[in-house]
Amino acid sequence: MQFHIPADTIKALLVIAPKNDIRHYLNSMCIDVRATDAVAVATDGHKLLALPLTVTDDAPALVPGCYIIRREALEGVKAVLKRPILVTIDPTTRTATIDNGNAATTTPLMDDKYPDWRRVVPLAVSGEVSQFNAEYVGAFGKVHKLLGGAYSPSIRHNGDNAARVILPGDAVGVLMPMRGDPQPLDNPSWLVPPSAIEPAEVPEPAEVPEPAEVAEVA
């Protein structure tokens, strides 16, 4: 099985994949192949990116399965003249060959089981406002740019459930929300507008006792 994957698409997937997760298979990229299609996926459990791949072989040649390519093998590939990277998966030898046109590297596939990522992708959203980790939102900003988007990605809120991130082309992003419980705010005095500060009460002057009468001298 062979797939042409733009170098920037691989970079975008590695933005979403973690680098040092103890679940080593998450640090990598997964190519999820079914009988009729193939999708490149990366996730860290908080955010997810999935992109359909162009298949260079005939559809009957597809061998269903999840093929996990190590991050190190992908990071070592340098794009040449913006040509797509040719990724060849050999299900028999359990290897992946990554070819940028000038050089090719073959690496063993990981034997771990990849998460059932389709299960967490919302097919509809409620529109209920959510809160998100700013770092994760920023990561999708980088992904959006790598995939050729202008400005910034749009997030379709979904309350306490996973939200969809709208990205260029057929790419699909998923972003998990943060808990939205009310939290008290610690407001320093310099932040409070003058109109909100109650004037201090001026204490009334203390009563001065009358001078004691001087007894008449007999």
Side-chain angles (χ1 to χ4, degrees), residues 47 132-142 153 155 175:
K47 52 189 183 295
F132 302 102
N133 183 306
E135 183 180 348
Y136 301 158
V137 175
F140 273 113
K142 295 178 183 178
I155 300 175
L175 184 58

Side-chain angles (χ1 to χ4, degrees), residues 173-187:
V174 178
L175 184 58
M176 299 301 296
M178 298 172 61
R179 289 179 61 89
D181 298 336
Q183 298 291 330
L185 295 175
D186 183 14
N187 296 317

Side-chain angles (χ1 to χ4, degrees), residues 91-107:
T92 304
T93 61
R94 297 287 302 166
T95 59
T97 299
I98 304 165
D99 187 350
N100 69 352
N102 280 2
T105 302
T106 299
T107 181

Side-chain angles (χ1 to χ4, degrees), residues 4-218:
H4 280 125
I5 309 178
D8 282 346
T9 293
I10 293 177
K11 291 179 183 178
L13 288 159
L14 294 182
V15 167
I16 297 301
K19 292 184 177 180
N20 299 301
D21 199 293
I22 57 174
R23 299 162 293 179
H24 301 296
Y25 53 88
L26 291 185
N27 299 327
S28 308
M29 177 185 79
C30 176
I31 296 183
D32 188 341
V33 180
R34 299 191 296 186
T36 57
D37 54 48
V39 181
V41 186
T43 182
D44 65 356
H46 302 285
K47 52 189 183 295
L48 179 148
L49 175 63
L51 304 104
L53 297 179
T54 300
V55 182
T56 60
D57 290 338
D58 292 334
L62 292 177
V63 179
C66 287
Y67 304 96
I68 306 174
I69 305 175
R70 301 175 188 276
R71 182 187 191 97
E72 295 79 6
L74 297 167
E75 286 181 331
V77 177
K78 304 299 182 183
V80 178
L81 299 177
K82 295 293 182 178
R83 284 183 293 194
I85 307 299
L86 178 63
V87 178
T88 303
I89 302 292
D90 188 331
T92 304
T93 61
R94 297 287 302 166
T95 59
T97 299
I98 304 165
D99 187 350
N100 69 352
N102 280 2
T105 302
T106 299
T107 181
L109 294 168
M110 299 182 72
D111 292 326
D112 302 83
K113 183 178 180 180
Y114 205 75
D116 184 6
W117 60 272
R118 284 186 176 87
R119 203 167 45 84
V120 303
V121 179
L123 301 181
V125 294
S126 66
E128 182 183 352
V129 176
S130 312
Q131 295 186 42
F132 302 102
N133 183 306
E135 183 180 348
Y136 301 158
V137 175
F140 273 113
K142 295 178 183 178
V143 168
H144 193 262
K145 184 176 180 180
L146 284 167
L147 297 180
Y151 307 109
S152 59
S154 172
I155 300 175
R156 298 291 189 265
H157 290 238
N158 199 22
D160 291 334
N161 301 306
R164 282 280 292 271
V165 183
I166 307 304
L167 297 166
D170 294 330
V172 170
V174 178
L175 184 58
M176 299 301 296
M178 298 172 61
R179 289 179 61 89
D181 298 336
Q183 298 291 330
L185 295 175
D186 183 14
N187 296 317
S189 59
W190 51 263
L191 187 62
V192 181
S195 59
I197 301 176
E198 296 183 1
E201 294 185 2
V202 179
E204 295 182 2
E207 293 185 2
V208 180
E210 295 288 337
E213 292 183 3
V214 180
E216 292 182 3
V217 179

